[in-house]
Amino acid sequence: MAGTETYTLNMGPQHPSTHGVLRVQLELDGENILSAKPIMGYLHRGIEKLLESRTYVQGVPYTDRLDYVSSMNNNFGFCRAVEELAGIEVPERAEYIRVIVAELNRIASHLVFIGSLAIDLGASTGMLYTFRDREEILDLFNLVCGARMTFHYIRVGGVNRDVQPEFIEKTYKFLEHVPVFMEEYKKILLGNEIFMSRLKGISKMSKETALSHNMTGPNIRATGIPYDIRKVDGYSVYPRFDFNVVTGKNGDNWDRFNVRYNEIFESAKIVRQALDGLPEGPFMAKVPKVLRPPKGEVFSRTEGTRGELGFYIVSDGSTKPYRVHIRRPSFVNMQGLNDMCRGYLIGDSVAAFSAIDPLMGEVDC
Amino acid sequence: MFGKGLITGMRVTLKHFFGKKETFCYPEEKLPMPERFRGGHLVIDYKKCIACQLCSMACPNQAIELKVVTDAQRKRHLTSYIHHMGRCMFCDLCIENCAIHGLHWDQNYEISAYTRDAFDYEVLTDDDRQYLKEVMEAAAANPAPPIVPKKPAAPKPAEAPKPEPKKPEENKETEVKPNE
Ligand code: SF4
Ligand code: SF4
């Protein structure tokens, strides 16, 4: 009888299901995956270095390009770090507006996740529905800041411009719409037997493994650890809002999907509370024209859509940061890929990439 | 029952098949852009522009290339305003930093082009150049009294309006980009 050998398969960097330019080296035994090694760097743009050669204010639009489906959260993280460094007090109205747009962006990003997971599993209709509804959010953002992808709306010291009454009205309308389209996804996807069997019990991960890989965001919440920076740190005005941290039980792909699915409701809840309590006042703090934060360093973290988004900034007292390092959740979460793929079939690897929800702009930075 | 979920899903799809269309016929119909929309070409209010170059200094990507002359009355004017759109990320910083709020977008989102050169967009129009000519001539006819009365006036700080006074004529490419 002939012996068998393992086989190495390069998946990507140009592969439709890798969400960009991720290359995964799969070690296969027949159809079983022995190991999966993500190889990154195809989308490296040197954003950290770019930020070091720009002033603090000029750096904000570059953070849009990290996690480009939830730019608001990146702007938020970077601006918070700079504000902490420079000791800028942000007006309350600005904080509320920031929370509103960041949570709307989280919804938009989770919709992209649901859509891309659906299309990766072969349900291409699913994607069209989620993108249709994401469009509403993008239109809201277009209204308030004039861009649909790279917003550059949250600025150091507040937000760029005040929200219009039209925006508030339309956001309320959108919130009414949330349960409607979520119900529709439930009908299309959640009840679908094929969709379910492709996800349930696949890519299981224990709490310990997830912790040892330093995973954050929905990926760790799916394993049952209620780790959410919005609760843990309670930054900005989040402690004022009532929302739950959604967790899973088994840490399989089905839980990862469900955590994000239910987070949409929680985010919608936050947006509604923030809109109800939106205080009057200025939307921008007094920021000196030439911003020179005092010497020092800061590490500030926020809950990005994909996990803990941290900005480490060192200031040497000049107008430009001396060093910027970005803790990108997608990059760290990718470390769990091997554990999620090992022992499963090659077809499940596609579901595993999708369920991690990496964004290559953020992985490579 | 296996397959029940599939049928439910199909029913939703079918409903939408006969329902209202979510899309529209793009090139024929166009979406109106909101007032704050950032995109398209830059438009400058040339008559108000004081050639202070704050816009190009605010740009994180050095996408704006200005050429400045000083007339006989020692006033500065732009002779060329190139917007390198290939470098531009539509961050709006140039517009927000304009000293006279005289810059805005034309909001045309159909700005794709066949060649790279087409992205080096000259913002000044022929009218603006005509206006510049008139102003230069008028100034030459009535030069400012002291120092050098010749047409390309001496590069002296003189009555420089806003930012750091530097020699205007040498601003081939604005590389200074601090502050702002
Ligand atoms: S929009 Fe931003 S990148 Fe583009 S020219 Fe203006 S400042 Fe530069
Ligand atoms: S900032 Fe405004 S006034 Fe100054 S050069 Fe640019 S367009 Fe002209």
Side-chain angles (χ1 to χ4, degrees):
Chain A
M1 234 178 76
T4 57
E5 274 181 21
T6 61
Y7 175 74
T8 310
L9 180 73
N10 274 307
M11 198 159 169
Q14 274 94 27
H15 189 279
S17 72
T18 55
H19 297 212
V21 280
L22 171 67
R23 175 169 151 220
V24 184
Q25 221 167 39
L26 293 169
E27 198 68 35
L28 300 173
D29 173 18
E31 230 188 313
N32 296 312
I33 301 173
L34 299 178
S35 78
K37 186 172 155 205
I39 298 168
M40 297 127 175
Y42 289 91
L43 201 63
H44 177 72
R45 291 147 297 166
I47 289 187
E48 288 174 1
K49 282 288 158 218
L50 282 172
L51 289 178
E52 286 161 24
S53 58
R54 306 290 190 270
T55 65
Y56 290 92
V57 173
Q58 283 178 336
V60 183
Y62 290 91
T63 60
D64 281 334
R65 274 88 185 155
L66 289 170
D67 176 353
Y68 42 79
V69 299
S70 72
S71 305
M72 289 288 187
N73 286 291
N74 303 332
N75 290 170
F76 197 6
F78 183 70
C79 291
R80 274 189 62 79
V82 174
E83 282 150 12
E84 202 173 308
L85 194 62
I88 296 171
E89 194 74 38
V90 180
E92 198 159 303
R93 185 176 173 88
E95 289 283 17
Y96 272 74
I97 297 174
R98 285 170 170 204
V99 167
I100 291 169
V101 291
E103 292 305 318
L104 280 176
N105 213 173
R106 193 185 307 276
I107 297 177
S109 176
H110 284 341
L111 289 180
V112 173
F113 163 79
I114 295 176
S116 54
L117 181 66
I119 200 168
D120 283 350
L121 299 181
S124 43
T125 358
M127 185 201 108
L128 297 176
Y129 285 93
T130 58
F131 274 63
R132 173 198 67 192
D133 301 321
R134 172 176 175 254
E135 200 67 11
E136 284 186 43
I137 302 179
L138 297 189
D139 283 346
L140 285 175
F141 287 154
N142 198 2
L143 186 69
V144 75
C145 71
R148 293 163 47 86
M149 278 285 275
T150 45
F151 307 114
H152 189 212
Y153 177 59
I154 297 178
R155 303 287 172 93
V156 177
V159 293
N160 180 17
R161 301 203 211 172
D162 205 357
V163 292
Q164 309 101 315
E166 191 190 353
F167 172 83
I168 294 175
E169 192 188 308
K170 284 194 173 166
T171 312
Y172 272 123
K173 226 191 249 161
F174 169 75
L175 292 178
E176 309 264 283
H177 193 192
V178 172
V180 180
F181 64 68
M182 295 304 275
E183 183 60 32
E184 208 167 62
Y185 304 158
K186 204 172 187 173
K187 280 187 189 150
I188 302 171
L189 294 172
L190 267 77
N192 187 317
E193 287 83 358
I194 302 171
F195 190 74
M196 241 189 266
S197 56
R198 288 286 311 266
L199 295 177
K200 272 195 179 158
I202 306 291
S203 297
K204 266 198 181 168
M205 188 178 256
S206 66
K207 283 182 190 177
E208 291 72 33
T209 332
L211 270 181
S212 72
H213 286 307
N214 235 331
M215 291 171 102
T216 45
N219 284 309
I220 201 163
R221 293 199 281 276
T223 64
I225 302 175
Y227 182 71
D228 187 324
I229 313 282
R230 288 174 294 175
K231 282 276 188 211
V232 176
D233 277 10
Y235 62 92
S236 190
V237 285
Y238 279 112
R240 299 187 197 173
F241 304 128
D242 161 46
F243 65 99
N244 303 321
V245 177
V246 187
T247 53
K249 271 204 270 333
N250 307 319
D252 59 359
N253 282 343
W254 181 247
D255 276 352
R256 292 190 185 96
F257 170 77
N258 259 322
V259 165
R260 291 184 175 99
Y261 182 85
N262 290 316
E263 261 181 24
I264 294 182
F265 291 111
E266 297 302 323
S267 289
K269 232 160 86 184
I270 299 176
V271 175
R272 185 176 287 280
Q273 291 170 51
L275 279 176
D276 288 342
L278 188 65
E280 291 298 322
F283 56 89
M284 187 78 178
K286 286 249 176 307
V287 180
K289 269 254 171 215
V290 181
L291 186 63
R292 284 179 209 271
K295 263 188 198 164
E297 56 179 28
V298 69
F299 178 78
S300 157
R301 55 182 192 172
T302 52
E303 179 74 22
T305 312
R306 286 165 177 76
E308 179 180 332
L309 176 68
F311 284 91
Y312 173 66
I313 305 179
V314 183
S315 160
D316 57 358
S318 70
T319 54
K320 295 171 187 175
Y322 175 74
R323 176 82 177 95
V324 179
H325 175 73
I326 309 166
R327 188 223 186 261
R328 290 107 55 201
S330 293
F331 174 76
V332 182
N333 288 346
M334 281 309 288
Q335 317 310 319
L337 185 66
N338 190 17
D339 278 309
M340 283 170 68
C341 288
R342 197 173 43 224
Y344 296 98
L345 298 181
I346 188 165
D348 296 330
S349 68
V350 175
F353 303 147
S354 231
I356 294 182
D357 194 18
L359 218 125
M360 296 321 286
E362 200 177 50
V363 172
D364 289 337
C365 175
Chain B
M1 187 190 85
F2 189 85
K4 192 157 150 270
L6 283 177
I7 293 166
T8 328
M10 289 291 189
R11 218 175 275 150
V12 175
T13 319
L14 206 66
K15 210 176 97 208
H16 278 282
F17 185 75
F18 294 107
K20 190 175 138 270
K21 296 259 180 305
E22 298 285 347
T23 51
F24 64 98
C25 304
Y26 160 60
E28 285 87 39
E29 293 170 56
K30 281 179 189 160
L31 276 182
M33 282 296 125
E35 169 228 342
R36 293 182 181 179
F37 178 69
R38 323 195 293 252
H41 296 300
L42 282 173
V43 181
I44 184 172
D45 187 346
Y46 188 72
K47 291 190 178 140
K48 282 201 321 200
C49 173
I50 51 172
C52 62
Q53 303 176 39
L54 284 180
C55 48
S56 89
M57 277 190 284
C59 178
N61 257 351
Q62 287 112 56
I64 298 176
E65 197 181 320
L66 302 180
K67 288 209 185 93
V68 181
V69 287
T70 311
D71 67 16
Q73 289 184 336
R74 266 176 260 118
K75 270 206 181 129
R76 292 189 287 176
H77 303 280
L78 296 179
T79 51
S80 124
Y81 192 119
I82 311 253
H83 182 210
H84 295 287
M85 298 179 60
R87 301 182 69 103
C88 178
M89 50 182 178
F90 299 99
C91 65
D92 223 24
L93 283 174
C94 48
I95 289 176
E96 284 161 26
N97 279 285
C98 177
I100 48 130
H101 305 291
L103 266 180
H104 56 97
W105 297 111
D106 71 356
Q107 308 214 324
N108 167 19
Y109 48 83
E110 294 166 323
I111 47 169
S112 49
Y114 281 103
T115 59
R116 224 185 144 109
D117 294 340
F119 279 129
D120 298 337
Y121 178 76
E122 171 60 87
V123 177
L124 302 189
T125 59
D126 287 343
D127 284 353
D128 294 340
R129 266 186 286 272
Q130 184 62 34
Y131 175 77
L132 172 68
K133 220 171 119 202
E134 284 162 21
V135 172
M136 294 292 278
E137 276 163 12
N142 182 20
I147 326 169
V148 198
K150 260 170 62 187
K151 201 179 148 207
K156 254 208 114 190
E159 42 140 47
K162 283 267 153 72
E164 66 241 77
K166 53 179 180 161
K167 295 182 190 169
E169 268 124 324
E170 321 188 322
N171 287 308
K172 288 263 153 44
E173 210 155 318
T174 328
E175 270 165 358
V176 236
K177 39 161 312 311
N179 318 345
E180 283 322 308

